[in-house]
Amino acid sequence: MPPSSVLLITFLFALASAACAGNPAGTAVTGFPVSASIPAEPALVWHDVSTWGAEGRAFDGMERKRWFDRLPALAEDKVSANVWNYSRDSAGMLVSFKTDATTIWVDYALLRERPVTAVIAAAMTAVGISGIDLYARDDSNHWRWVGISHPGQQEVRQALVADMSAGSREYRVYLPLYNGVERLSIGVPPGASFEPIGPRTSKPIVFYGTSITQGASASRPGMSHTAILGRRLDRPVINLGFSGHGRMETSVGELLAKIDAAVYVIDCLPNLDAHQVRERCIPLVTQLRAARPGVPIILVEDRRNANAWVIPKRNQHHVDNHAALAASFLALLDQGFEKLFYISGDGLLGHDSEGTTDGSHPNDLGFVRQADQFEPVLRKALEL
């Protein structure tokens, strides 16, 4: 090898080593990617969001082990260990406030330094797993994206956005999809107005489902279909997606029934086979209807994997699952159940195989398409 090449390689290796030494978050030890460059922190006034509340945090008034847990403490002995572990993630939670600040910072601590599973780590961005996602209402009263955090380590303290145009706006921050939050504060410069906006009191849309419901593989928290639908329908949302463990379990149904919901969306089929669907669907719906007689219930078929068109065994799995859910739906109607709704799985991610990251989990395009399929059925169920 020519001496000049050796010198170049030595220089690049030294440069990379120096970068990692100066930024421990860039090493493999933390499980986080190298953070984007972060501006120096200005003078800020910090506001702890737990003092006014997070929307999407159900079971108010019940004891919980951590403030940002999705399930109450009593659930630990009722649900499976896997459901409990995923319930520590903050998926679906958001915090609202109004400010005229031109710079907004965030300071939060994460529960874990790396994702629970390698599948999620491979399929999702660090922002989707552990980031904060900032939206604002524009002058036309529409929610529009503004900025994100770059989670480089478990303690994150950085600007979400800076140098904005002047004006008072309503903001909303979406919390991480696949990590828990230990604490969260919003920072604005001294002299800026800051008005906390508490969780809305209207009845929420309650989603119970799988990794897709939880948000895999949205690029950022605001791009999951549950978040998109919350903005479109202007409704609070409770996200009870438990990754690979949303399985129509009556132990979870007991907890769902404690929520005064506007509608229940049951979207568990990606975690089940046809036999399990036939075995579990009717008992879960019966359980919910007994506890909440007037609440609409929507049953959702599983999306077809993007490559199912060339994998007959996978395609047959979807065919059988869909048939089992449809049979359960018809049986419930025959039993006199009302306010039941149904969403077909065939078009959830489109028909061009471009809607996923890995054949299974939606990308942002897939989540928009999924929201498009859910929206008219939700509007009908909610009588909007």
Side-chain angles (χ1 to χ4, degrees):
M1 181 180 294
S4 59
S5 298
V6 174
L7 287 172
L8 178 59
I9 292 170
T10 302
F11 171 75
L12 292 174
F13 179 80
L15 185 64
S17 298
C20 286
N23 178 15
T27 69
V29 175
T30 65
F32 288 105
V34 176
S35 296
S37 59
I38 300 172
E41 181 175 330
L44 295 166
V45 177
W46 291 98
H47 303 270
D48 181 350
V49 305
S50 67
T51 62
W52 72 90
E55 194 167 284
R57 179 180 176 271
F59 310 106
D60 280 346
M62 300 178 69
E63 180 185 353
R64 63 187 74 212
K65 293 202 167 184
R66 294 168 53 254
W67 199 89
F68 289 99
D69 281 352
R70 287 186 289 159
L71 294 181
L74 60 81
E76 186 173 14
D77 295 327
K78 294 180 178 293
V79 301
S80 70
N82 286 315
V83 167
W84 174 253
N85 288 337
Y86 280 108
S87 79
R88 318 308 296 275
D89 297 338
S90 55
M93 293 188 193
L94 62 87
V95 175
S96 300
F97 57 92
K98 188 172 184 179
T99 182
D100 61 5
T102 57
T103 295
I104 299 175
W105 277 59
V106 68
D107 181 15
Y108 65 105
L110 292 161
L111 174 63
R112 295 182 297 271
E113 66 178 3
R114 55 173 52 86
V116 172
T117 68
V119 171
I120 295 301
M124 293 186 70
T125 68
V127 176
I129 293 169
S130 298
I132 297 290
D133 199 4
L134 179 68
Y135 278 71
R137 283 192 191 271
D138 66 14
D139 293 338
S140 300
N141 206 36
H142 295 128
W143 287 105
R144 298 181 64 178
W145 178 81
V146 175
I148 54 171
S149 67
H150 298 273
Q153 49 194 350
Q154 281 184 267
E155 300 278 339
V156 183
R157 185 180 177 107
Q158 58 191 238
L160 292 175
V161 64
D163 302 321
M164 287 188 292
S165 58
S168 181
R169 301 180 184 90
E170 183 180 349
Y171 292 90
R172 177 177 289 176
V173 292
Y174 291 89
L175 276 58
L177 294 170
Y178 265 85
N179 209 333
V181 174
E182 298 285 3
R183 57 173 176 77
L184 171 62
S185 293
I186 307 297
V188 297
S193 66
F194 190 91
E195 177 188 345
I197 299 176
R200 289 169 289 182
T201 58
S202 51
K203 295 182 179 182
I205 303 168
V206 178
F207 292 86
Y208 171 37
T210 67
S211 56
I212 296 172
T213 301
Q214 189 168 340
S217 300
S219 65
R220 48 188 176 79
M223 281 306 298
S224 68
H225 70 294
T226 61
I228 293 169
L229 289 164
R231 292 193 296 274
R232 289 185 183 180
L233 300 173
D234 195 26
R235 286 272 183 163
V237 166
I238 304 294
N239 184 327
L240 295 180
F242 301 116
S243 202
H245 304 278
R247 296 177 175 172
M248 289 190 180
E249 295 170 321
T250 53
S251 59
V252 176
E254 181 181 342
L255 295 164
L256 293 173
K258 296 181 184 296
I259 303 172
D260 188 11
V263 58
Y264 294 109
V265 181
I266 310 302
D267 191 2
C268 295
L269 260 64
N271 289 166
L272 301 172
D273 59 30
H275 171 74
Q276 292 168 323
V277 174
R278 289 190 294 270
E279 182 181 66
R280 301 181 186 188
C281 178
I282 291 176
L284 177 62
V285 172
T286 302
Q287 178 187 33
L288 291 176
R289 185 48 54 84
R292 301 284 181 180
V295 178
I297 299 171
I298 300 175
L299 300 178
V300 186
E301 291 180 349
D302 56 326
R303 82 286 173 258
R304 289 184 188 266
N305 281 50
N307 58 0
W309 67 280
V310 292
I311 303 179
K313 184 177 180 180
R314 169 52 53 178
N315 192 61
Q316 190 62 48
H317 169 84
H318 294 308
V319 170
D320 293 344
N321 261 14
H322 295 181
L325 189 68
S328 298
F329 177 72
L330 292 175
L332 287 162
L333 293 179
D334 287 344
Q335 292 176 30
F337 281 76
E338 298 179 345
K339 293 189 177 182
L340 292 181
F341 299 85
Y342 199 89
I343 296 178
S344 171
D346 287 341
L348 283 179
L349 303 180
H351 299 282
D352 55 9
S353 299
E354 301 290 356
T356 77
T357 58
D358 55 7
S360 174
H361 299 98
N363 54 26
D364 288 353
L365 172 62
F367 273 121
V368 170
R369 288 174 171 176
Q370 188 156 290
D372 290 343
Q373 297 297 310
F374 276 56
E375 184 177 353
V377 181
L378 278 165
R379 288 190 179 278
K380 185 174 181 181
L382 295 166
E383 299 180 348
L384 296 178

